[in-house]
Amino acid sequence: MLPDTPLLLAFVGASLVLALTPGPAVVYIVARTLAQGRACGLASVLGVALGNFSNAVGAALGLAALFAVSSTAFTVVKWAGAAYLVYLGLRMWRTAPAVADATPQAPVQAVRRIFRDGFLVALLNPKTTLFFAAFLPQFMDAHASPLMQTLALGGVFVAIACCTDCVYVLTASLVAPRLRRAARHAAWGHRLAGTSFIGLGVLTALGTRPTR
């Protein structure tokens, strides 16, 4: 299911560079961490990872081919994802806390909801499916099963991205306490995160940003 060692190392190196490059998913994860704490950031990482792997499965099953020939299908999914990002941003504006030095709380229900949000944000990005369809075949063997190879390589890429996203979360969680002490109101952290989600929604709708 995986290529020979030299080609696999090349794939891992290329995947690491792509995963470290900040994109919408990284901005989303960092914003969640700064606004709601490390637990919520890690929940977002897991949700995004599952959504990305679902896109890899979609690419393996031919969903990318559908998007390539049907602009309507691509447009519907893209706008659905953009609308969901804007909805998340507006929700964060409405629920921003008013206490300046409050410590972010992450009850089980909130973590589950944030996991779901991260999953939907990643899943509703059709460019991720097209990315897998364009990137993964460069490292595949034409004589082996394309389905199994796509799933295996997609899983490796998602695992690498999950690790780099965790690094972003840990870094952001170290910076967050200083930002909260410096801010006059903790609500501005939520509003800043909400604004970033709305901006990501607009950028997703316009199709001007890379997959991650």
Side-chain angles (χ1 to χ4, degrees):
M1 293 189 294
L2 293 174
D4 294 335
T5 301
L7 194 59
L8 179 60
L9 291 177
F11 174 77
V12 170
S15 299
L16 184 60
V17 171
L18 290 170
L20 286 171
T21 303
V26 172
V27 174
Y28 171 81
I29 290 166
V30 169
R32 278 290 193 191
T33 304
L34 292 176
Q36 295 175 281
R38 183 182 300 176
C40 293
L42 293 175
S44 296
V45 169
L46 295 178
V48 167
L50 182 59
N52 284 335
F53 186 72
S54 298
N55 277 317
V57 174
L61 297 177
L63 188 58
L66 171 63
F67 286 159
V69 300
S70 174
S71 59
T72 301
F74 181 91
T75 301
V76 167
V77 176
K78 182 178 74 172
W79 279 96
Y84 193 72
L85 282 169
V86 172
Y87 162 75
L88 290 178
L90 293 175
R91 192 175 69 185
M92 291 202 75
W93 265 84
R94 292 199 306 269
T95 59
V99 181
D101 57 355
T103 301
Q105 299 297 317
V108 173
Q109 294 83 355
V111 172
R112 289 175 178 172
R113 184 175 64 248
I114 289 167
F115 172 84
R116 179 204 63 193
D117 291 345
F119 170 73
L120 291 176
V121 165
L123 183 67
L124 294 175
N125 185 358
K127 291 184 293 182
T128 305
T129 306
L130 293 176
F131 163 76
F132 281 126
F135 178 64
L136 299 184
Q138 312 305 318
F139 303 91
M140 291 168 58
D141 185 349
H143 302 291
S145 168
L147 174 61
M148 299 308 296
Q149 288 185 94
T150 302
L151 292 177
L153 290 173
V156 172
F157 179 88
V158 169
I160 292 172
C162 188
C163 291
T164 59
D165 288 345
C166 285
V167 172
Y168 277 113
V169 168
L170 296 176
T171 302
S173 66
L174 293 176
V175 175
R178 294 184 179 181
L179 293 180
R180 284 194 296 272
R181 286 195 297 267
R184 293 186 61 187
H185 299 285
W188 286 109
H190 278 246
R191 289 167 183 165
L192 180 61
T195 301
S196 70
F197 292 165
I198 294 171
L200 287 175
V202 173
L203 289 173
T204 299
L206 296 177
T208 56
R209 292 297 304 272
T211 56
R212 280 186 49 79

